Amino acid sequence: MLVTKHAAELCALLVNDLFGELPSRILVALFTKGRSNITQLAQHTSLSPRQLRNGLGVLVQQNLIYHSTDPDSRSTSYEANSDACYNLVRSGKILEVIDSQHGTAERDLVQTLMLLGYARIADLTHAFTTRARKTNGHTNGAHESGSGLIESKDHLNAALSRLIQAEIVETVRPDSFRNPAEVYREIEADVTKTAPGEKASKNKIEQHVQIVERFKASRDQGKALKRQLDQSNGPVAKRRRLQNGVALADDSFADEVTQLNPNIVVRVNHEKCLVQLRNQRLEEFAADTLGEVTGRVYRTLLELLTTQLARCRPDPLIGDQGGGEQVTVTSVEIYEHLDEAVNVQNGIGKAPRDKIDFQSAEKVKATPLDYASDSDDSDGGKAVVRGRTAKTIAGDDGDDSDEPSDNGEVQEQRPLSASRTNGDRLTKVKFDDDATSEDSRLDQMRQHLLLLAENRHRFVRHCGAHGRGQWTVDFGQLMESLREAELDAYIEQCFGRHGLRLTRILREKGKLDEKMLHSAALMKKSDVQGKMLAMQMAGLVDVQEVPKDNSRLANRTLFFWFFDGERTQSHLLDDIYKAMLRCLQTLQVARHMERNVLSFVDRKDVKGKEEEVMTAEHYNKYNQHLEEQEKLLGQVMRLDDVAAVFRDY
């Protein structure tokens, strides 16, 4: 990843805030000078060898740098891991999603691993069992078993096994501390090397396939324990039933305990955590577009689809996303995993049966549609209609009744959003609140899936007819749609609706002559020129001059405006880094100004009794500082949400 100035400063500030000035100083040198050994670092940082070893030890322990040793010279070189440094800012989000999806014990374990960087299972066992004994001692033997925290060795092994199977936690091996690009280059050099006097192989395709296979095998060595657990415990299929983040009583871990090798070293797999965060972001996107209940159904579908998905984006070295062929999930599987507390009757409506095009509603699209095409009309393939729907179509001749039939076939009707409008008038819909059977609940859940499939953002694709319908998600197209939505929101906020209109026209048309732009946008020529100049100064659009002759006069020159989406996204991402950096720097200054109050509050005899011990003036200052800190950190988290869309998802 190419690290900009503001991104490097942000990573260094995060490390400084969490681990101190010494590791941050070394990290700044690595970002500035690139890959260096300890002798070069001593020259760049003016630190003693002892200080360097201490700082490098912290960075290596927290997986914030790559390091490798040359077998010939025995010299170790170090390189900054910018992705790991940036991931420090979203530790809280990762813990929240682990708590909601896996439980309190798993969140507790992941939090401990984040603090330690990586650890042996034996050390984790000792730490958690010691803590449990201390807790029991303080409570006179009455430990709160309903807290969900890890209480014993078996509980730890069960939670750790589930996280390893879910790929949230991975095992550590020597190559885990090396830059993947370096490992790839070594494999490439080993495959393409020739003996003295031997000609180089001309079969480049076969060599590339061999390089990719060896790199995949090297990368997947950390999944050996996962495969063993899948064989002994079965694959991670049904998510545990959770209530307020705690596993229910009938979900005992005693039946699935696998004793793990205590010498295995484990750490958090942030790539898989990003997949979980992307699922959460897409759920929010669907909920904002179609409603909360539809978002909950969509989250269940995403959890099933991404079980075997190792990363959000394809590996830049080999272009592999880790999921193999595209995974599909059936309506029955989604129904089995959907939380029973979700009321699927909400958020959908029905239209009269004679107004519904059943073939369009149940059309199966076996391949992804072109992103620029219309989702309803572009697929010219034959419509595939499922059994019950076909019966409904056949039985509708001469039946104009709008009332639902007794056998529930009306539940197969094409869904209509309750908030969909026709001009300024709300579409009249009818809701069926009487259906309570399991089959009716499944049909109602399918209505939400059809809503997702018909939306212009193409949240899902109906790709088969097995299991009451098969569904998949084209993540590339969906994330491109989400990135466009975020970019449009940014442009509209900065340059208004006219600026958004102009950029959308340029995005659709490509390069457009300045004389045609105002007519295409239905705006005054002076307004277009002023708006385009402002956006050009901000780097959103640019102009290409094409002279008609060698005189290069203005009246003999064509001016073509164009919009470069990739460059705009990179500039926006750098602005986000800069804004996050300024927020954290402002927070540092505020902490320094209130350092006396904060140091007093940090005392053990004051914690929890601030209002009783502190004077009114200092207590008000403390509360004011907490409010300012909450606003700044909240802004950082919102900026990270936007950065993740352009950078990671």
Side-chain angles (χ1 to χ4, degrees):
M1 169 187 162
L2 181 62
V3 180
T4 63
K5 173 179 177 291
H6 296 116
E9 291 180 1
L10 175 62
C11 293
L13 183 59
L14 291 170
V15 173
N16 183 25
D17 190 36
L18 294 175
F19 305 110
E21 182 181 355
L22 181 59
S24 176
R25 191 170 171 180
I26 298 173
L27 194 66
V28 170
L30 291 175
F31 275 124
T32 305
K33 302 298 182 180
R35 187 169 182 169
S36 309
N37 56 33
I38 196 166
T39 304
Q40 295 169 332
L41 286 174
Q43 297 174 353
H44 301 328
T45 61
S46 301
L47 296 174
S48 65
R50 180 181 178 183
Q51 292 173 323
L52 283 174
R53 285 193 296 269
N54 291 335
L56 289 172
V58 173
L59 293 173
V60 171
Q61 179 69 32
Q62 297 297 329
N63 308 294
L64 300 178
I65 59 174
Y66 297 119
H67 67 89
S68 61
T69 303
D70 188 357
D72 298 329
S73 63
R74 306 300 299 173
S75 174
T76 303
S77 57
Y78 303 91
E79 186 178 359
N81 184 356
S82 57
D83 291 331
C85 294
Y86 181 82
N87 284 332
L88 294 173
V89 79
R90 52 172 66 118
S91 299
K93 294 181 181 178
I94 293 175
L95 293 176
E96 286 182 0
V97 74
I98 295 299
D99 191 10
S100 63
Q101 295 298 313
H102 298 277
T104 306
E106 285 78 1
R107 183 212 62 196
D108 191 22
L109 179 55
V110 170
Q111 183 176 7
T112 303
L113 285 175
M114 282 183 173
L115 294 174
L116 297 177
Y118 60 86
R120 290 192 315 142
I121 295 179
D123 297 333
L124 291 173
T125 303
H126 175 73
F128 281 107
T129 53
T130 303
R131 185 188 66 177
R133 285 196 295 268
K134 288 182 179 180
T135 306
N136 288 334
H138 284 298
T139 56
N140 297 322
H143 183 65
E144 296 181 4
S145 59
S147 63
L149 299 176
I150 296 177
E151 306 167 357
S152 63
K153 179 181 178 180
D154 288 341
H155 196 178
L156 171 65
N157 284 329
L160 189 57
S161 298
R162 285 192 289 266
L163 290 175
I164 291 174
Q165 286 187 266
E167 298 184 56
I168 300 296
V169 172
E170 64 179 357
T171 57
V172 177
R173 61 193 192 284
D175 281 348
S176 301
F177 300 99
R178 301 179 61 192
N179 192 336
E182 181 184 1
V183 177
Y184 182 84
R185 287 194 298 268
E186 283 189 4
I187 296 175
E188 185 179 25
D190 184 57
V191 171
T192 57
K193 71 178 179 180
T194 57
E198 184 182 356
K199 293 184 178 180
S201 175
K202 295 183 179 180
N203 195 345
K204 302 298 182 182
I205 297 179
E206 183 179 349
Q207 284 185 345
H208 179 70
V209 171
Q210 187 178 356
I211 293 170
V212 169
E213 292 298 328
R214 288 183 58 178
F215 181 75
K216 285 183 180 180
S218 173
R219 188 186 62 187
D220 294 341
Q221 286 179 2
K223 297 182 181 180
L225 181 57
K226 167 183 163 52
R227 289 191 288 268
Q228 294 177 7
L229 292 173
D230 286 342
Q231 292 176 359
S232 58
N233 299 342
V236 181
K238 192 165 185 178
R239 183 163 54 92
R240 294 190 306 158
R241 296 181 180 275
L242 304 176
Q243 185 174 10
N244 298 326
V246 182
L248 296 182
D250 59 347
D251 185 23
S252 175
F253 58 83
D255 297 335
E256 51 179 312
V257 169
T258 300
Q259 297 302 321
L260 303 174
N261 185 353
N263 294 321
I264 293 177
V265 182
V266 294
R267 69 178 182 184
V268 177
N269 181 12
H270 283 87
E271 287 184 339
K272 186 64 177 183
C273 294
L274 285 177
V275 175
Q276 298 280 347
L277 291 176
R278 184 179 68 175
N279 291 346
Q280 187 179 47
R281 181 67 181 86
L282 290 177
E283 178 195 4
E284 295 172 356
F285 187 32
D288 291 341
T289 307
L290 296 170
E292 183 179 355
V293 178
T294 308
R296 295 286 298 276
V297 174
Y298 190 45
R299 179 60 179 270
T300 305
L301 182 148
L302 290 173
E303 290 295 331
L304 293 174
L305 284 178
T306 57
T307 301
Q308 302 299 328
L309 193 63
R311 55 183 53 84
C312 291
R313 292 193 174 187
D315 194 319
L317 297 173
I318 59 177
D320 174 61
Q321 199 167 3
E325 62 182 8
Q326 193 162 30
V327 183
T328 62
V329 62
T330 65
S331 301
V332 176
E333 291 173 341
I334 300 172
Y335 175 76
E336 291 175 349
H337 291 79
L338 183 64
D339 190 352
E340 296 179 358
V342 178
N343 186 2
V344 293
Q345 298 183 27
N346 294 335
I348 55 175
K350 297 196 301 294
R353 293 167 61 179
D354 58 341
K355 303 295 184 181
I356 299 173
D357 183 358
F358 289 94
Q359 290 188 348
S360 296
E362 295 287 348
K363 182 181 291 186
V364 172
K365 302 175 179 64
T367 57
L369 298 173
D370 183 17
Y371 181 71
S373 64
D374 184 79
S375 60
D376 292 332
D377 302 329
S378 61
D379 188 6
K382 183 179 179 180
V384 180
V385 184
R386 295 179 57 258
R388 286 188 58 184
T389 308
K391 293 179 182 178
T392 307
I393 296 174
D396 281 346
D397 296 337
D399 185 5
D400 296 331
S401 174
D402 295 342
E403 296 298 324
S405 60
D406 296 335
N407 58 7
E409 290 178 353
V410 73
Q411 298 299 329
E412 292 288 333
Q413 292 176 346
R414 184 177 183 176
L416 294 175
S417 173
S419 61
R420 187 178 299 177
T421 60
N422 183 10
D424 295 329
R425 179 173 57 86
L426 287 174
T427 304
K428 295 181 180 180
V429 296
K430 296 182 180 181
F431 293 94
D432 183 10
D433 298 331
D434 299 330
T436 57
S437 67
E438 182 174 323
D439 193 47
S440 297
R441 176 178 166 83
L442 175 59
D443 291 335
Q444 290 166 351
M445 185 203 70
R446 290 189 76 256
Q447 304 298 302
H448 293 279
L449 294 174
L450 292 171
L451 277 175
L452 291 165
E454 293 176 359
N455 189 266
R456 64 184 181 89
H457 295 297
R458 300 174 189 169
F459 291 103
V460 301
R461 175 162 54 86
H462 191 195
C463 59
H466 298 290
R468 299 296 304 275
Q470 292 173 278
W471 312 87
T472 189
V473 176
D474 302 318
F475 285 105
Q477 292 183 354
L478 178 59
M479 293 313 303
E480 185 64 30
S481 177
L482 181 56
R483 281 190 282 271
E484 283 189 5
E486 291 286 357
L487 190 59
D488 288 347
Y490 164 73
I491 294 173
E492 184 177 8
Q493 185 178 8
C494 295
F495 301 99
R497 296 184 62 84
H498 290 168
L500 177 60
R501 182 191 306 172
L502 291 169
T503 54
R504 280 182 171 175
I505 291 173
L506 293 178
R507 189 186 305 168
E508 180 182 355
K509 303 294 184 182
K511 292 183 179 178
L512 196 62
D513 188 4
E514 185 179 37
K515 297 177 182 178
M516 301 175 59
L517 188 58
H518 66 93
S519 60
L522 301 179
M523 295 172 58
K524 294 181 180 179
K525 189 174 182 179
S526 58
D527 295 342
V528 170
Q529 290 177 342
K531 188 66 69 174
M532 295 302 291
L533 181 60
M535 291 193 293
Q536 185 186 22
M537 295 296 292
L540 287 179
V541 297
D542 208 345
V543 64
Q544 181 183 7
E545 300 180 8
V546 181
K548 294 182 180 179
D549 50 34
N550 293 332
S551 64
R552 305 186 68 88
L553 297 175
N555 59 354
R556 299 291 298 167
T557 303
L558 299 176
F559 297 92
F560 292 98
W561 288 97
F562 64 93
F563 175 80
D564 191 343
E566 292 185 1
R567 187 182 67 177
T568 303
Q569 290 181 14
S570 63
H571 287 175
L572 173 58
L573 195 55
D574 190 52
D575 289 342
I576 291 173
Y577 292 147
K578 184 177 180 180
M580 295 172 69
L581 178 64
R582 296 294 180 263
C583 288
L584 294 178
Q585 288 175 337
T586 303
L587 181 58
Q588 273 193 337
V589 172
R591 287 173 177 172
H592 179 73
M593 294 176 62
E594 303 295 340
R595 60 188 181 278
N596 294 329
V597 175
L598 295 178
S599 61
F600 179 77
V601 172
D602 199 40
R603 288 169 42 178
K604 293 182 179 179
D605 58 336
V606 177
K607 283 185 178 180
K609 300 182 294 183
E610 292 87 353
E611 188 173 4
E612 301 175 5
V613 177
M614 301 173 67
T615 62
E617 179 184 359
H618 291 89
Y619 185 69
N620 291 334
K621 281 186 177 181
Y622 177 61
N623 282 334
Q624 186 177 359
H625 172 76
L626 291 182
E627 292 177 1
E628 182 180 358
Q629 175 179 273
E630 184 178 358
K631 291 178 181 178
L632 289 172
L633 293 179
Q635 180 67 11
V636 170
M637 292 300 101
R638 285 190 289 270
L639 290 170
D640 175 60
D641 288 338
V642 181
V645 172
F646 294 108
R647 177 181 182 270
D648 299 312
Y649 299 162

